[in-house]
Amino acid sequence: MSDLASRVLASMRCGVVTVDHAGRVTSVNSLAGEWLRVDPAATRGRDCREVFSHCPAIAHLLLDALGRASLPDRAELEIAFELERRTLIGFSLSRIPGDGGETVGSAIFFKDLTVVEEERERQALRNRLASLGETAAQLAHEIRNRLGGIRLFLGLAKRRLAGDPEGEAYVERAESEILEANAKMGQILDFVRPLKLDLSRADPEALCREALEATLARFPGGPPKVEWIAHEDLPQVIVDPGRVRDALANLFANGVEAIADAGTLRVRLSREDAPVLVASPLGKEVPGLRGYGEGRGCRVRIEIGDDGPGMPPEVLRRIFHPFFTTKVHGSGLGVSAAQKILDAHGGSLDARSEPGRGTTFIVLLPSAGPEE
């Protein structure tokens, strides 16, 4: 391979793997090596089935491309590396022609679509929740009306049972259960209703500290250690402070519960620059032109981590689903409610976790920009 071809291959922003007519690997660029977990320098000349024995679908596609009459221009493939999170790639295949037009090899070009697929699933979940929201609200309203009637009759029964300690105790227990059910219905109503935000400028570090203090007040024992790192150049954010504090408190509570009284809670706040595509350098729309030019934006990144037991992939994939919980007394709304709040602010919530290595929630909030 020429020096120019090597530089082009290395600079490509997609993974590339090529093999010769015998299925021997001829090149693997750095991105492909990173995503497929192989050392590019150690693959050249080896049988692709041996190199990619941990993800045999890649070798199968490359070998199949050598003899197929038609090749997919765009397809998707899910790759699983043992017990870790699955990786979704979008790929296309090509045959490599020789000087006489004969096929001398094949190539696969691919990109990691895992983040795109996760966001697609979350958007689908948001759409389902939006369609169910009105029905759930009506149902909750009807149930709460019935609970109010039951509580009224219990009050009347309690008067009739005056002087009967055992009977009064039963009625009081029934009343407490009704109050608990009413509180749960309130949580569901709050979750399915559209959020109304009261926006103002806020200091993200102050919001985090207030949320942590509120959380620790619920857990008197608290974690034995809190590691706090905050960069000095954090920009302000425009948020509904109460809502964002609630979202952060839910995430802090997950961390505190995970480590109980024998672990460390880690909080890290940083400034993160992010590319922002604009229609043109002047900010004007250009017909038929999309994403011309590139500006730079800024957002605040908040990481809330713990050194608890962590979560297996099958649990991690479901933590944003409403009412999903692994806790005995959990409602399953904490993480999904936090995600809803952050989405409403134009932010995002993600999670990283491995069994035995703890869990980290990653919050991104767009900065407020200049005061004027």
Side-chain angles (χ1 to χ4, degrees), residues 286-331:
V286 179
L289 189 62
R290 191 175 175 193
Y292 178 82
E294 185 177 276
R296 302 239 24 120
C298 173
R299 54 193 178 186
V300 175
R301 181 185 179 97
I302 304 169
E303 299 179 26
I304 300 172
D306 63 69
D307 53 7
M311 293 178 281
E314 61 272 15
V315 172
L316 183 62
R317 284 195 293 269
R318 300 181 62 192
I319 61 170
F320 295 105
H321 290 205
F323 310 109
F324 172 76
T325 181
T326 57
K327 303 171 187 174
V328 177
H329 302 292
S331 67

Side-chain angles (χ1 to χ4, degrees), residues 1 17-20 24-28 43-46 96 106:
M1 185 181 297
V17 178
T18 62
V19 297
D20 63 16
R24 294 184 293 264
V25 177
T26 53
S27 66
V28 176
T43 61
R44 189 174 178 84
R46 293 170 56 192
I96 303 173
S106 63

Side-chain angles (χ1 to χ4, degrees), residues 197-259:
L197 303 179
D198 184 12
L199 300 175
S200 62
R201 282 180 170 266
D203 176 3
E205 184 176 4
L207 288 177
C208 281
R209 291 193 180 277
E210 291 166 8
L212 180 58
E213 289 173 5
T215 302
L216 296 182
R218 291 169 47 198
F219 301 92
K225 185 177 181 182
V226 176
E227 293 181 357
W228 192 283
I229 300 175
H231 291 196
E232 296 180 355
D233 61 344
L234 289 177
Q236 288 189 318
V237 290
I238 294 183
V239 296
D240 183 325
R243 295 282 192 181
V244 172
R245 273 195 298 267
D246 289 344
L248 295 172
N250 283 337
L251 303 179
F252 281 129
N254 272 275
V256 173
E257 289 176 339
I259 60 180

Side-chain angles (χ1 to χ4, degrees), residues 324-367:
F324 172 76
T325 181
T326 57
K327 303 171 187 174
V328 177
H329 302 292
S331 67
L333 288 176
V335 175
S336 52
Q339 183 187 39
K340 179 181 178 180
I341 291 170
L342 296 167
D343 282 346
H345 287 84
S348 65
L349 174 63
D350 197 6
R352 297 286 182 265
S353 185
E354 294 182 35
R357 302 188 66 177
T359 300
T360 299
F361 286 101
I362 302 167
V363 174
L364 293 175
L365 283 172
S367 66

Side-chain angles (χ1 to χ4, degrees), residues 20-21 65-66 94-106:
D20 63 16
H21 67 283
L66 294 170
S94 296
R95 280 186 293 274
I96 303 173
D99 294 337
E102 75 282 7
T103 298
V104 298
S106 63

Side-chain angles (χ1 to χ4, degrees), residues 77-325:
L77 172 70
E78 191 174 64
I79 300 174
F81 295 103
E82 298 177 353
L83 297 178
E84 299 183 27
R85 300 178 72 182
R86 294 178 179 272
T87 299
L88 182 72
I89 64 171
F91 70 91
S92 61
L93 292 167
S94 296
R95 280 186 293 274
I96 303 173
D99 294 337
E102 75 282 7
T103 298
V104 298
S106 63
I108 183 170
F109 306 85
F110 62 93
K111 298 204 77 170
D112 188 346
L113 301 181
T114 306
V115 175
V116 175
E117 179 63 18
E118 288 175 350
E119 181 55 35
R120 189 186 304 165
E121 291 179 359
R122 291 177 192 174
Q123 185 59 49
L125 181 60
R126 294 186 198 109
N127 294 338
R128 290 197 298 271
L129 288 174
S131 64
L132 290 172
E134 185 175 348
T135 301
Q138 292 175 351
L139 181 60
H141 180 70
E142 291 296 325
I143 293 175
R144 293 183 90 177
N145 284 342
R146 301 300 186 272
L147 291 176
I150 294 171
R151 191 180 179 199
L152 174 63
F153 285 113
L154 284 174
L156 295 174
K158 190 174 182 180
R159 294 178 188 175
R160 293 287 186 93
L161 292 170
D164 181 356
E166 185 176 5
E168 288 182 332
Y170 287 140
V171 172
E172 289 174 357
R173 177 65 184 274
E175 282 185 322
S176 68
E177 291 295 328
I178 287 175
L179 290 174
E180 180 68 22
N182 194 54
K184 292 293 184 185
M185 295 307 300
Q187 290 180 4
I188 294 173
L189 279 172
D190 288 341
F191 182 77
V192 299
R193 284 173 179 156
L195 291 179
K196 295 181 180 179
L197 303 179
D198 184 12
L199 300 175
S200 62
R201 282 180 170 266
D203 176 3
E205 184 176 4
L207 288 177
C208 281
R209 291 193 180 277
E210 291 166 8
L212 180 58
E213 289 173 5
T215 302
L216 296 182
R218 291 169 47 198
F219 301 92
K225 185 177 181 182
V226 176
E227 293 181 357
W228 192 283
I229 300 175
H231 291 196
E232 296 180 355
D233 61 344
L234 289 177
Q236 288 189 318
V237 290
I238 294 183
V239 296
D240 183 325
R243 295 282 192 181
V244 172
R245 273 195 298 267
D246 289 344
L248 295 172
N250 283 337
L251 303 179
F252 281 129
N254 272 275
V256 173
E257 289 176 339
I259 60 180
D261 57 352
T264 301
L265 190 68
R266 290 179 295 277
V267 185
R268 181 185 179 90
L269 293 92
S270 58
R271 174 193 180 106
E272 183 175 280
D273 289 328
V276 178
L277 295 180
V278 296
S280 74
L282 300 178
K284 298 179 180 179
E285 292 187 4
V286 179
L289 189 62
R290 191 175 175 193
Y292 178 82
E294 185 177 276
R296 302 239 24 120
C298 173
R299 54 193 178 186
V300 175
R301 181 185 179 97
I302 304 169
E303 299 179 26
I304 300 172
D306 63 69
D307 53 7
M311 293 178 281
E314 61 272 15
V315 172
L316 183 62
R317 284 195 293 269
R318 300 181 62 192
I319 61 170
F320 295 105
H321 290 205
F323 310 109
F324 172 76
T325 181

